[in-house]
Amino acid sequence: MDFRPFRSALTASSLVSVLLAASCTLYQDVGFAPGFYYESDGAKSGDSYEDYEDNPFIDTAVNNVSTFSVDADGASYANMRRFILQEQRLLYKSAIRIEEFLNYFTFDYPEPADGMSAAINSEVSPCPWNDAHMLLRLGIKGKSLSPGDMPLANYVFLIDVSGSMNSSDKLELLKKGLTTMVDYLNPEDRVSIITYAGTSQKLLESTLAKDGKSIKAAISKLKASGSTNGGDAMKMAYEEAIGNYIEGGNNRIVMGTDGDFNVGVTGEELIEMVEDYASRGIYLTVCGFGRGNLNDSFMEKVSNRGNGTYEYIDCEEEIMKVFVNERAKFHIVANDAKVQITFNPETVGSYRLIGYENRVMGSDEFEDDGKDAGEIGAGQTVTALYEIVPREGASAGESREFGTFDFRYKEALGGKSIPLSCPIGGECAEKMSENMSFAAGTAAFGMILRESPYSGSATFEMAKGLVRDGMGFDPHGYRKQFLQIIESASKY
């Protein structure tokens, strides 16, 4: 979850535009709101991103405790892929969120044991882009569930059918995704469909998935035309989800759109509505299609406030990833998940969290169960990296204690958090594990695209080599494709 209060004067017209997941190499500040940018070669599109400065190095003598919320989104990576593979250009640096690059991929982490819903692990190695520094990898794994153990789902598909959705990479791609997803649902799962354009409509009453023929027939009827009344449709979707609520189940709105809310429920009223229903157990997944009106930052915040995730769908392969291969992630096993690292000032001089710039929390918020945080789905992994500067006089390869990795999560919203802890220390490996190598290569690539002042000697060739050395675990070929993306990016 994003813990910074939402203060910008954005209206609902900017809310769903984040879903367009598009950008460009050149931007100009047009004064829309502090920290937001429009692309200079397409300002009329309204595409915008919020610009975060990279996390700086922090002296452990000043503050040796670092706290942040997990982030399970994947939109930034898919957005980057579209630009590099389809548009043959690089994404603007403010659109690059390294944590979403890392967490787009599933890592080969151990399953939770002893009845826990999450497990943690860590690793330290030399830093590839700065020989004098070390790299700390944190890993979190949500427990995997077999299809037979998955709880029943109550899905409400909230579909934008406004005129701008009338293209093959928008509504037609979305229809393919929903149709495919229906084939993989539990027969007793429930599906409703709410559509919105100039008006909102309940296209399909809550229907058991075993009646897939009726659900697919309703999906096939989706046609794009008219303006966009998304706010009122969202309210209708939440009411539909509450009306068919499954106790102990996966109650979730899956929104698909490309553009604006320009009438209906607006701004802060909509934010409050999303937060209210999230507290009542209705999760929100936002899927963006196409490009043209992107307000990336705001939609990320809205999905976070809705205890959900933000994805960008750029191709049929991504449809399969989100709706089929990784559909178990729709069921949350760890709520309000937070990380806190306490560094040992005797061995660590300073440290820097790579990515997660808009997920940083205060140290006092870690044990506060009233503070919102991110969610982890079944079988999902979360990865974070810290670059560490050893205390002066100590070698980066020495065996010693670097600190403590603490983690908290809740089995259910509103419950009491469960603490996990493990020491960070031991031998600093001279040779990276495959998990570390892949994570380091992904971060190096992200820092290059962000033009990070902390990228050191990182190059596309370095990133490619590190990713190649971490290719052992690649069940769906996503890592292999990543190598192709890095190769293509190096030419632009």
Side-chain angles (χ1 to χ4, degrees), residues 69-204:
S69 163
V70 303
D71 181 355
D73 295 346
S76 181
Y77 179 89
N79 188 13
M80 172 275 296
R81 179 179 60 201
R82 175 187 174 112
F83 269 75
I84 290 177
L85 296 186
Q86 297 185 34
E87 301 192 22
Q88 289 80 53
R89 53 177 173 155
L90 300 180
L91 196 60
Y92 181 64
K93 64 179 183 179
S94 289
I96 304 300
R97 293 185 290 273
I98 293 176
E99 67 275 14
E100 293 185 21
F101 281 30
L102 289 167
N103 294 326
Y104 181 87
F105 299 95
T106 299
F107 282 71
D108 190 16
Y109 293 155
E111 281 286 331
D114 302 324
M116 304 298 287
S117 293
I120 61 176
N121 65 85
S122 67
E123 176 183 3
V124 179
S125 76
C127 179
W129 50 85
N130 192 320
D131 293 340
H133 295 179
M134 296 180 296
L135 203 59
L136 165 63
R137 179 191 57 76
L138 308 175
I140 306 167
K141 175 71 179 289
K143 70 177 178 181
S144 300
L145 297 176
S146 67
D149 291 332
M150 292 289 292
L152 292 179
N154 164 33
Y155 290 114
V156 180
F157 295 154
L158 176 57
I159 311 302
D160 180 355
V161 292
S162 60
S164 63
M165 286 288 287
N166 188 23
S167 69
S168 60
D169 65 340
K170 296 182 182 180
L171 186 59
E172 291 307 310
L173 185 58
L174 173 57
K175 289 165 67 174
K176 289 179 182 178
L178 298 182
T179 300
T180 300
M181 181 180 176
V182 170
D183 290 333
Y184 290 87
L185 296 178
N186 183 304
E188 299 302 313
D189 288 343
R190 306 195 71 88
V191 172
S192 309
I193 300 177
I194 306 293
T195 64
Y196 64 94
T199 59
S200 304
Q201 176 188 2
K202 185 187 294 185
L203 183 65
L204 179 72

Side-chain angles (χ1 to χ4, degrees), residues 249-419:
N250 175 20
N251 299 279
R252 182 175 296 269
I253 293 172
V254 179
M255 175 185 283
T257 183
D258 79 325
D260 302 330
F261 284 178
N262 49 39
V263 292
V265 180
T266 59
E268 287 297 333
E269 182 183 358
L270 195 146
I271 291 287
E272 292 172 3
M273 178 177 67
V274 168
E275 290 180 323
D276 174 61
Y277 281 104
S279 69
R280 296 159 69 179
I282 308 297
Y283 295 85
L284 173 66
T285 292
V286 179
C287 298
F289 293 79
R291 63 184 302 264
N293 299 308
L294 177 63
N295 185 343
D296 180 86
S297 174
F298 189 37
M299 182 45 74
E300 186 199 14
K301 290 178 181 178
V302 169
S303 62
N304 291 339
R305 298 291 184 91
N307 281 350
T309 55
Y310 166 34
E311 308 289 350
Y312 181 72
I313 310 298
D314 61 327
C315 57
E316 291 192 34
E317 289 79 5
E318 190 67 9
I319 283 282
M320 290 297 294
K321 180 180 189 292
V322 172
F323 291 106
V324 179
N325 296 340
E326 299 179 357
R327 65 190 183 280
K329 294 179 182 178
F330 285 145
H331 176 65
I332 302 302
V333 296
N335 293 273
D336 290 336
K338 311 170 188 176
V339 172
Q340 186 167 85
I341 307 300
T342 304
F343 288 101
N344 180 359
E346 294 183 0
T347 56
V348 178
S350 60
Y351 61 89
R352 187 179 89 81
L353 175 61
I354 301 175
Y356 293 91
E357 282 82 7
N358 63 348
R359 307 290 174 144
V360 174
M361 303 177 67
S363 60
D364 60 332
E365 296 177 309
F366 181 66
E367 295 186 7
D368 184 352
D369 285 348
K371 292 296 182 180
D372 198 11
E375 279 66 43
I376 302 174
Q380 189 165 26
T381 62
V382 172
T383 300
L385 294 173
Y386 281 87
E387 186 172 348
I388 296 173
V389 180
R391 174 62 61 193
E392 187 175 355
S395 168
E398 288 182 358
S399 176
R400 58 193 183 280
E401 295 299 321
F402 299 111
T404 304
F405 175 10
D406 289 300
F407 176 72
R408 282 183 176 268
Y409 74 95
K410 299 174 185 174
E411 295 277 2
L413 290 170
K416 183 176 176 58
S417 65
I418 299 170

